[in-house]
Amino acid sequence: MYIKQHIRLLPTNTMSELRKNGVPLELTIIVLLIFFRNHLNQFLISLLLSLIVAITEEYTFRGIIFTTLLSRCLKQFTTMRATIAAMIAAMIAAALIFAAMHLTNLLSQPVWSVFCQVLYVIGLGLLLAAIYLTTGNLLGAIGVHWLIDFSSFYSQGVNSAPSVINGPVEALLKGLFLDALFIGIATFILISKRWKLLHILDNENKIG
C-alpha cells in the first residue's frame, strides 16, 4: 500500500479529554447557538460545510501528503540537521500543493482574489503542518482550519455588502499580511522543538 503509516485524527486519550471537558464544551455550544440565533440556518450550514472541508483537506494534505513526504525523508536522513531540513522541505512542498489546489477558484473568482488566497494559504499550510508536527494528531490542525473556514463561510452568507477588499492592491496586502502572520506563528511553534510526529514516524520506521 502506498500509505503505510497510521494517520492519527485524534489524540490517544480522546475519551478521557472529552469526559474532562464535556461541560465546557456543552456550554460553548449553547452560547454559540444563542449568539447566532438570528442566523441559525446560516450558522448550521457554515458549521457543517466548514467541518467537512477541514476534515477532508487535513486528512489529505497533512495526514497523507505531508506525512508521506516526511516519513520518506526520515528514512533517508539520520543527522538532526538533515532531519530538520527535510522536515521544513516536506512542510513547504505540502503547503505549495495545498495552495495550488485553490487555483481551481479561478473558474469562479477574479485572478487577484485567487492570488490573495493562494498567497496566504501557503502560510496557512505551514501553520497547520507545524500544529500537526507538535501534537502528533490532526485534531488541532482540523480545529484551526475549521475556525478559519467557518468564519469565512458564515460572514459570506450573512453579510451581503461588498467586501472591503475590492482590488488587487488590497488583495496583495491582505495576502502578505496573513502569510506573514501564519508563518510567524508556525515558526514560534516549531522553535519549541516538541515535534511529536517526528518521534512517532521514527518509531514506526524502525518497527517497519
Side-chain angles (χ1 to χ4, degrees), residues 13-86:
N13 58 343
T14 302
M15 294 307 299
S16 175
E17 290 296 321
L18 287 176
R19 285 194 295 268
K20 187 189 304 181
N21 300 298
V23 174
L25 181 61
E26 291 170 3
L27 290 176
T28 301
I29 294 174
I30 293 173
V31 171
L32 286 174
L33 289 174
I34 294 174
F35 184 78
F36 291 103
R37 66 185 183 280
N38 293 330
H39 301 283
L40 188 57
N41 287 339
Q42 182 59 36
F43 169 76
L44 294 175
I45 292 172
S46 300
L47 181 67
L48 180 61
L49 288 178
S50 57
L51 190 59
I52 292 173
V53 171
I55 292 175
T56 55
E57 290 190 352
E58 288 312 301
Y59 188 86
T60 301
F61 292 100
R62 255 60 62 183
I64 296 179
I65 295 176
F66 172 64
T67 306
T68 301
L69 291 172
L70 185 60
S71 181
R72 292 191 172 189
C73 288
L74 289 177
K75 292 179 181 179
Q76 298 177 7
F77 301 103
T78 55
T79 66
M80 180 55 68
R81 181 174 296 182
T83 298
I84 293 175

Side-chain angles (χ1 to χ4, degrees), residues 41 59 120 143 173 185:
N41 287 339
Y59 188 86
Y120 77 74
L173 291 176
I185 298 174

Side-chain angles (χ1 to χ4, degrees), residues 166-188:
N166 52 13
V169 175
E170 292 85 351
L172 177 61
L173 291 176
K174 176 188 176 182
L176 289 173
F177 171 76
L178 291 175
D179 204 31
L181 177 63
F182 291 145
I183 292 175
I185 298 174
T187 302
F188 179 78

